[in-house]
Amino acid sequence: MKKLLYVLLGLAVVAALWEGYKLVGNPEGTVLFGVRVLPRADDLSMPHLWTVVERLGRPELTGGRPVWIVVVQACLFTLGITAAGFVIGAFVGLLLAVAMQRFRIVERGLLPYVILSQTVPLVALAPLVAGWNVLWPDWMTVSLIAAYLAFFPVAVGMLRGLQSPASAGVELMRSYAAGWWRTLVKLRFPASLPYLFPALRLAGAAAVVGAVVGEISTGTRGGIGRLIIEYSREATSDPAKVYTAMLGAALLGLVVAGLVSLLEFPLMRHRRHVEVVTL
């Protein structure tokens, strides 16, 4: 309940800042030394929040479906692509973290390239991945792009978690003649859970970003990324319509993070129970 209240309070603060700036801001934007540092506050650039909510209930086109139904369907399409990319990215990240923890030479040789991989612009990478599209459908291309962004936080976070147990715990496992695999399962993996789930939440958000950018770059139809492009063409005549698609993309990221949190709750609760029993 406390977290829910914090979320509602955060939304209220954002709404107050939006409407407050729209009330007192310059319709042409705030310019400092010839550079616009704050956006325009006119209705074309920043429609009222209630206008965006009202636009969700009106038809997309004359006699068509309401906008909120179109946005929800597009989000569900992108959610499926995001889930596939998230699972692939998380699996690859876990394998890399285990390999780097097991072999120091792998960590020294691979970790710099894992970090370097995230410096490649995603917009430049998407057409390259799309060029491989020979045997698989378009949505798999987008999933690969989402996985590319998702594996990094899992690999780095999980590696830190696997290396977190104290040396006394590792020596205790050795005194029990426990091998590397048993030490990994009984000691290192449980100790890595507080590091793993924040990394998974970041990976989920990154997968959403990768899926949206991938849909925009590859022209994949049916998802929220493509919908943002289509609605942006009507920005001058119907600016609130653009924000409905952007709102859907933002809510999609929150849904993915929430689903990861649902997985975190029982596992972390079990871990705390084991710690209490052990003590």
Side-chain angles (χ1 to χ4, degrees), residues 190-194 266-276:
S192 67
L193 292 181
L267 291 179
M268 291 300 295
R269 183 178 181 182
H270 174 71
R271 179 177 182 271
R272 287 192 294 267
H273 176 71
V274 171
E275 290 178 347
V276 171

Side-chain angles (χ1 to χ4, degrees), residues 17-36:
L17 291 175
W18 181 281
E19 292 297 333
Y21 177 72
K22 185 169 176 59
L23 179 64
V24 302
N26 189 344
E28 297 300 324
T30 302
V31 179
L32 184 63
F33 300 111
V35 179
R36 182 177 287 108

Side-chain angles (χ1 to χ4, degrees), residues 54 70 187 277:
E54 180 186 0
V70 179
L187 177 64
V277 172

Side-chain angles (χ1 to χ4, degrees), residues 32-118:
L32 184 63
F33 300 111
V35 179
R36 182 177 287 108
V37 295
L38 292 176
R40 296 185 177 92
D42 59 332
D43 292 337
L44 184 62
S45 302
M46 292 183 62
H48 289 287
L49 294 179
W50 56 81
T51 304
V52 177
V53 175
E54 180 186 0
R55 188 65 183 89
L56 285 169
R58 287 191 284 139
E60 181 187 26
L61 300 172
T62 303
R65 296 171 298 172
V67 171
W68 72 269
I69 294 181
V70 179
V71 171
V72 169
Q73 290 177 344
C75 286
L76 291 177
F77 181 87
T78 305
L79 179 61
I81 295 177
T82 301
F86 173 77
V87 171
I88 296 172
F91 181 72
V92 172
L94 288 173
L95 289 181
L96 291 177
V98 171
M100 288 188 289
Q101 185 280 319
R102 179 66 178 89
F103 304 103
R104 183 60 61 87
I105 189 173
V106 175
E107 179 186 356
R108 292 178 178 177
L110 188 60
L111 186 58
Y113 293 100
V114 171
I115 298 174
L116 185 64
S117 68
Q118 300 304 298

Side-chain angles (χ1 to χ4, degrees), residues 173 181-191:
M173 296 298 292
W181 176 255
R182 185 170 294 274
T183 302
L184 175 68
V185 174
K186 297 295 185 179
L187 177 64
R188 295 189 182 276
F189 184 73

